[in-house]
Amino acid sequence: MMNYQEHFRTELDALREEGNYRTFAELERHCGHFPNATCHNGPGEVTIWCSNDYLGMGQHPQVLTAMHEALDRCGAGAGGTRNISGNTHDHAMLEAELADLHNKDAALLFTSGYVANWAALGTLASRIPDCVVLSDALNHASMIEGIRHSRAQKVIWKHNDLDDLETRLAQLPAEQPKLIAFESVYSMDGDIAPIAGICDLADRYGAMTYLDEVHAVGLYGPRGAGIAESEGVMDRVTVIEGTLGKAVGVVGGYIAASADLCDFVRSFSSGFIFTTALPPSVAAGAAASIRHLKSSNVERCRQQANVAEVRRRLDAIGLPHMDNPSHIIPVMVGDPVKCKFISNILLKDYGIYIQPINYPTVPKGTERLRITPSPVHSEADIDHLVSALEVLWTRCELARRPVAA
């Protein structure tokens, strides 16, 4: 007879030995003072350097006011699925804001970005007869799960490689329905997809395009709609998927597309039909955040300046970080044990919170610290971060880049 508990312990012990076992820091963010927080199971006061609340909008007064007002006006929950009792006015208003943001006819809300990808990709690929999905090799788990759930034919193309994508498109029957699924900003390496080139191939081979902008919404473009907006190609993308849980500062996910496509997903997706709707207060807060970011470039400009400053300071001491055009700074360690050790000491001795990124999130040998400077990190925060990293790099005898004279 199998000893189930022993099996669980053995598997967890193996993770620990590999340096890939994850623990939680019990954080309490300080409202109005982000990126500061209290670590209740650690050193006390810390500075967060790895948050996906990229612009600090989770603390913005307009967002908090909108959420408080909605809570007082509507109560806590939505009351059920949107089909039965949870289609509130705040949901409708948020979807209108999202459709306007991406210059699409309509938008459809989900409870998270993960669910949005799983539900939308799963529904589109399964209910379009004989559809084949061409998926970028580095698409994240929610897209992979959605495609897998659809049971549609899947073709994986080399990451951001237009030649490989065209080769694979050309091998498919011209009349077969096709859906190209890819991201704009890839969250672990911070590189950016060639969206216009992908749209050119989609036009040439009669394919739809499904673009995940979760790490770009709020951060790029004149109104914060993402990379597709900044490159002037939003109108060429069939479906834009985004999240409300990163730069928008709350929680939830969505797609923006034609009215018929959104209605199609709404009508056939089990991930939408059978899921309790987001609380109205969350929808109200997200709408306030999006409205603000449509008209304010202050947060984006400050963030970009801090990203550039952190990169410059890392270069000055030779710490290796992955070059990319985005706001994500992967500082490359290349060893799971040392990566976790550095993260632990940063938290314990320096009050700096940066989670280690190890396998299976990234390939073995590419372990890293994923740093995301925000507009509210101060010059003193940057000084403290860089000096701590320099000390620990020397302590761990890690390689450095040559420093330019």
Side-chain angles (χ1 to χ4, degrees):
M1 185 178 297
M2 182 173 187
N3 186 326
Y4 299 107
Q5 301 309 314
E6 181 62 29
H7 174 72
F8 301 150
R9 283 191 294 269
T10 300
E11 292 294 304
L12 291 171
D13 286 343
L15 278 181
R16 292 185 182 96
E17 290 173 9
E18 295 166 1
N20 292 325
Y21 181 76
R22 292 168 178 161
T23 57
F24 289 139
E26 189 180 326
L27 299 176
E28 181 179 334
R29 304 199 323 169
H30 296 170
C31 184
H33 298 283
F34 180 80
N36 298 324
T38 299
C39 183
H40 287 282
N41 61 345
E45 301 307 295
V46 300
T47 303
I48 300 172
W49 273 101
C50 56
S51 176
N52 284 344
D53 186 359
Y54 293 128
L55 300 177
M57 291 303 293
Q59 310 281 307
H60 196 281
Q62 291 181 25
V63 175
L64 300 183
T65 297
M67 294 185 75
H68 281 296
E69 289 177 351
L71 190 63
D72 292 339
R73 172 167 41 85
C74 302
T81 69
R82 289 180 69 187
N83 281 319
I84 296 175
S85 57
N87 190 39
T88 72
H89 180 61
D90 288 291
H91 292 100
M93 295 297 289
L94 175 54
E95 286 177 341
E97 287 287 351
L98 292 167
D100 173 76
L101 175 67
H102 294 290
N103 197 26
K104 297 294 185 185
D105 294 337
L108 185 66
L109 280 172
F110 295 88
T111 50
S112 71
Y114 190 104
V115 173
N117 272 335
W118 180 86
L121 280 169
T123 301
L124 291 169
S126 66
R127 298 197 68 94
I128 297 173
D130 198 29
C131 183
V132 57
V133 182
L134 296 104
S135 179
D136 184 284
L138 292 189
N139 281 342
H140 51 59
S142 58
M143 301 178 79
I144 294 168
E145 287 298 326
I147 297 164
R148 181 181 296 147
H149 174 68
S150 75
R151 299 185 180 179
Q153 179 185 349
K154 177 178 68 174
V155 174
I156 298 174
W157 51 286
K158 294 177 184 177
H159 176 55
N160 281 350
D161 188 325
L162 293 176
D163 291 336
D164 188 57
L165 175 59
E166 180 161 25
T167 296
R168 294 174 184 278
L169 283 165
Q171 292 171 346
L172 297 168
E175 68 278 4
Q176 184 173 17
K178 306 167 187 71
L179 175 61
I180 304 171
F182 62 107
E183 303 176 37
S184 56
V185 178
Y186 286 82
S187 62
M188 289 299 115
D189 292 348
D191 55 337
I192 294 175
I195 302 175
I198 292 170
C199 289
D200 289 341
L201 292 176
D203 291 345
R204 190 176 308 159
Y205 290 94
M208 297 189 300
T209 48
Y210 184 103
L211 173 61
D212 178 311
E213 289 258 42
V214 298
H215 290 278
V217 168
L219 302 172
Y220 301 93
R223 298 202 307 160
I227 299 294
E229 182 191 32
S230 68
E231 296 184 357
V233 293
M234 277 199 304
D235 61 311
R236 302 186 63 193
V237 178
T238 311
V239 184
I240 294 175
E241 185 267 346
T243 184
L244 308 172
K246 294 182 171 61
V248 176
V250 286
V251 67
Y254 64 89
I255 60 170
S258 70
D260 284 341
L261 189 150
C262 287
D263 199 22
F264 181 84
V265 174
R266 181 189 70 84
S267 299
F268 291 109
S269 169
S270 63
F272 176 85
I273 294 169
F274 299 110
T275 300
T276 298
L278 290 169
S281 58
V282 168
S289 179
I290 291 161
R291 281 194 297 270
H292 174 79
L293 292 173
K294 283 178 180 177
S295 60
S296 173
N297 277 314
V298 172
E299 293 81 9
R300 287 188 280 274
C301 290
R302 286 178 181 166
Q303 187 214 31
Q304 291 160 12
N306 276 350
V307 169
E309 178 62 11
V310 171
R311 288 190 187 279
R312 186 189 70 78
R313 295 287 300 275
L314 293 174
D315 286 338
I317 59 173
L319 262 63
H321 58 95
M322 193 174 290
D323 293 323
N324 64 56
S326 78
H327 58 284
I328 295 166
I329 305 178
V331 177
M332 307 306 292
V333 179
D335 180 281
V337 176
K338 289 183 178 181
C339 192
K340 185 165 178 55
F341 173 80
I342 291 173
S343 173
N344 289 343
I345 298 301
L346 283 173
L347 184 66
K348 176 176 173 287
D349 293 351
Y350 295 92
I352 292 172
Y353 176 68
I354 308 175
Q355 273 287 5
I357 306 296
N358 289 352
Y359 178 84
T361 306
V362 295
K364 291 180 179 179
T366 68
E367 293 81 9
R368 66 199 66 179
L369 301 172
R370 180 182 177 274
I371 296 174
T372 54
S374 80
V376 290
H377 282 100
S378 68
E379 185 176 343
D381 292 333
I382 295 173
D383 288 342
H384 185 52
L385 170 70
V386 174
S387 63
L389 286 173
E390 182 167 28
V391 169
L392 291 174
W393 227 254
T394 300
R395 183 173 172 182
C396 290
E397 300 180 336
L398 290 166
R400 299 194 186 216
R401 286 177 174 177
V403 178

